[in-house]
Amino acid sequence: MDTPDVLAWRDGYIEALDQTLLPHQVRVRRITTVDQLVDAITTLAVRGAPVLGVAGAFGVALAVRQGGREGWDRARLDAEVKRIADARPTAVNLRREVSAVASRMPEGRAAVEAAALALAGTAVTASEQISRRGAAYLRQACGGRRLRVHTHCNTGSLACLGWGTALGVIRALHADGALEHVIVDETRPLLQGARLTCWELGQLGIEHRLACDGAAPFLISQGLADAVVVGADRVAANGDVANKIGTYSLALAAQAAGIPFLVAAPESTLDAATPSGSAIPIELRADEEVTGSAAPAGTRALNYAFDITPAGLVSAVVTEDRVIPRFPAQS
Amino acid sequence: MDTPDVLAWRDGYIEALDQTLLPHQVRVRRITTVDQLVDAITTLAVRGAPVLGVAGAFGVALAVRQGGREGWDRARLDAEVKRIADARPTAVNLRREVSAVASRMPEGRAAVEAAALALAGTAVTASEQISRRGAAYLRQACGGRRLRVHTHCNTGSLACLGWGTALGVIRALHADGALEHVIVDETRPLLQGARLTCWELGQLGIEHRLACDGAAPFLISQGLADAVVVGADRVAANGDVANKIGTYSLALAAQAAGIPFLVAAPESTLDAATPSGSAIPIELRADEEVTGSAAPAGTRALNYAFDITPAGLVSAVVTEDRVIPRFPAQS
């Protein structure tokens, strides 16, 4: 793609592609303060669980720089770093990578920046490993034919650096000549599927069709997909998966249709400290994202940004290191 | 409501509230030709399975009038009547009521118009009977508490004349003091839930929250609804239900959560001539309804307007005459 980097550290500040403006505008945000970074994360200009992890890592480096310019004491620096970690609650990657890089702060600015950059590099490598391992899993699970794959939200280069997670699996299938086409959920309310995934698939020359979220279970029931593959924002210790709202309905439909439901995510998404899905904090976002201009003025909404898919509906979780089959406790 | 009639026969022409403009504009279309009626039906200015039945009945009266003015022969009249019956394929009500009123054409214009008006009156009465019977069913199924009900699309006065089907059940629960609140799916792509159901519930003073279609199964899984109630466009002989796209995911979620999934529809929606859901024609509408302005230019979609819920997921179908429990063949 001849588009700017999704997220990059520019020796003192962050550059981020503004994902709220895609696909119609390609604009880069220059982020020089913690305030700007927190705004970019909460408005979803910077989004996607693995990218949030890298943004958290870069964010610590950014806070150290800003603290140096503005003479913050350690308490202030810690408070600013915590603001980054807390900007969104569901994806464990953000909090985890902030914490990993922040642990290097006593070693000074250079160590922090090196740790953040190393982590970004690791994310790119992990993404390709996830993609190839996930593609191999699906080819084996579905037999030798060219696959029709249903996916949700955006889990490609925009969400992950590198190839992506679920969309990386799709990209790897395509590279292997093993993909027939992709069905993409539009992913209301913010339409990451319609805006971002269709854009990425178009750039990659991968055949795809867009569907409303409510249509997905029907399309699956009609035999239009050989497999479902999605990303994750957090996988609990028992294998329950938090992912973009709408994921659970795909898992129910995949089970009813008897097709694989694969979760593709880096190891950093696995959260041994959270026993089950019910302990994962689910972000509740503003009513207006749902009501928009369609509903009567004053209409209230229930706008959970993520849902929980019970482990028993997940065929496997694929990471950069391994394929984790159905978690035993839920079988 | 101090709003115009949803659909009315005005001694020679049809007046219809334009449902594509609600809730922000209340405008009545004056329909004097078959072309105008077919346009109103295909663009969903006139919509909702029971209203489509009445529109079909009035449509035959309209065709007879237009034929009289323009000197149509019987073949032309039959062809125009068939165009009305075929304007949308999934809801059986349209075709059925066109056929019922068309059978009176040999008796002359007055007989046709009397039959159409009688049918509209029957629809209003049926709607109240469905509403009361459905409310009684849910109160019994869910115990004595005030109910939290999840619904989809629009099935109220705008869709049915009278109280409605699923929304009529909700209205009857409210009238009985047995309703806590309603969760309404926005119902992409055309947002009938956000635009029409929220508007009707607001007019009725019924507490409600709007949710994205993809969120519905998660909300149900979290115990936020005591029951799901939806309408139907056609119920096959084996009990499979065609209804607005997104319905099937609610049925899967209701089953997983162990709550009732009730279908409310007039007897005219039951189609003994269609053996099962796989024989119901599912309308495929234009890609642009889904792609809108969000997706990249040229994106293609899969825009089925309805889905099929297998009979085994349906707790009961309630009509103006009876409660039909889970169809035996699917139990």
Side-chain angles (χ1 to χ4, degrees), chain B residues 261-287:
Chain B
F261 179 88
L262 181 66
V263 173
E267 290 279 335
S268 60
T269 310
L270 309 183
D271 183 15
T274 298
S276 72
S278 61
I280 298 175
I282 302 294
E283 181 179 2
L284 187 62
R285 294 180 59 88
D287 288 8

Side-chain angles (χ1 to χ4, degrees), chain A residues 23-24 186 191 194-195 198 210-212, chain B residues 188-191 286-301 303:
Chain A
H24 302 304
E186 60 177 359
L191 297 170
R195 294 189 300 106
C198 287
L210 183 65
C212 293
Chain B
R188 284 276 296 153
L190 297 178
L191 297 168
D287 288 8
E288 292 68 28
E289 288 182 354
V290 176
T291 56
S293 59
T299 300
R300 298 176 65 193
N303 185 18

Side-chain angles (χ1 to χ4, degrees), chain B:
Chain B
M1 301 190 212
D2 57 349
T3 46
D5 289 337
V6 169
L7 188 73
W9 176 251
R10 300 294 185 206
D11 193 25
Y13 63 93
I14 295 168
E15 273 188 359
L17 186 56
D18 186 341
Q19 301 198 30
T20 64
L21 302 176
L22 289 172
H24 302 303
Q25 289 183 55
V26 177
R27 192 184 300 170
V28 170
R29 284 197 192 193
R30 181 184 168 120
I31 294 170
T32 61
T33 68
V34 171
D35 274 353
Q36 289 169 350
L37 180 61
V38 169
D39 176 73
I41 291 172
T42 54
T43 61
L44 278 54
V46 170
R47 53 150 292 283
V51 157
L52 285 174
V54 176
F58 289 167
V60 177
L62 188 76
V64 168
R65 288 273 190 153
Q66 187 179 1
R69 287 198 306 274
E70 301 184 6
W72 295 348
D73 62 13
R74 181 59 195 249
R76 171 74 188 275
L77 181 60
D78 287 346
E80 296 291 328
V81 165
K82 184 170 186 308
R83 278 214 299 145
I84 299 168
D86 293 346
R88 295 191 72 197
T90 304
V92 69
N93 316 65
L94 173 61
R95 186 173 299 261
R96 170 165 286 165
E97 308 302 28
V98 164
S99 176
V101 175
S103 72
R104 308 295 294 275
M105 289 198 302
E107 299 167 54
R109 192 180 91 180
V112 164
E113 293 178 6
L117 285 166
L119 202 145
T122 303
V124 172
T125 311
S127 162
E128 288 200 28
Q129 292 167 326
I130 293 165
S131 302
R132 295 189 191 287
R133 185 170 284 108
Y137 175 89
L138 286 184
R139 293 180 71 178
Q140 183 166 37
C142 300
R145 67 185 178 287
R146 285 157 57 94
L147 301 181
R148 303 158 305 153
V149 178
H150 198 117
T151 193
H152 192 69
C153 199
N154 175 265
T155 55
S157 298
L158 293 168
C160 306
L161 308 184
W163 278 28
T165 53
L167 204 52
V169 171
I170 287 166
R171 187 169 169 172
L173 287 170
H174 178 68
D176 292 348
L179 183 73
E180 188 169 311
H181 67 244
V182 183
I183 300 176
V184 181
D185 291 336
E186 60 178 359
T187 318
R188 284 276 296 153
L190 297 178
L191 297 168
Q192 291 95 333
R195 293 189 300 107
L196 307 179
T197 300
C198 287
W199 184 71
E200 286 198 48
L201 290 169
Q203 299 253 350
L204 294 165
I206 295 176
E207 182 77 17
H208 60 285
R209 293 290 190 98
L210 183 64
C212 293
D213 304 317
F218 176 63
L219 300 176
I220 292 168
S221 77
Q222 298 300 296
L224 298 183
D226 300 303
V228 175
V229 57
V230 298
D233 291 83
R234 190 184 304 215
V235 181
N238 74 336
D240 291 350
V241 174
N243 192 46
K244 178 58 54 191
I245 193 81
T247 300
Y248 171 53
S249 70
L250 300 182
L252 286 169
Q255 182 190 50
I259 63 171
F261 179 88
L262 181 66
V263 173
E267 290 279 335
S268 60
T269 310
L270 309 183
D271 183 15
T274 298
S276 72
S278 61
I280 298 175
I282 302 294
E283 181 179 2
L284 187 62
R285 294 180 59 88
D287 288 8
E288 292 68 28
E289 288 182 354
V290 176
T291 56
S293 59
T299 300
R300 298 176 65 193
L302 274 173
N303 185 18
Y304 289 99
F306 304 91
D307 65 21
I308 303 292
T309 297
L313 298 178
V314 177
S315 305
V317 177
V318 59
T319 76
E320 64 272 38
D321 292 339
R322 53 190 169 147
V323 173
I324 311 170
R326 200 181 291 276
F327 279 61
Q330 302 292 318
S331 65

Side-chain angles (χ1 to χ4, degrees), chain A residues 216-290:
Chain A
F218 176 62
L219 299 177
I220 292 168
S221 77
Q222 298 301 296
L224 297 183
D226 300 302
V228 176
V229 56
V230 299
D233 291 82
R234 190 183 304 214
V235 181
N238 74 336
D240 289 351
V241 173
N243 192 44
K244 179 57 55 190
I245 193 80
T247 300
Y248 171 52
S249 71
L250 299 184
L252 286 169
Q255 183 189 51
I259 64 171
F261 179 87
L262 181 66
V263 173
E267 290 280 333
S268 60
T269 310
L270 309 183
D271 183 16
T274 298
S276 72
S278 61
I280 298 175
I282 302 294
E283 181 179 3
L284 187 62
R285 294 180 58 88
D287 288 9
E288 292 66 30
E289 288 182 354
V290 177

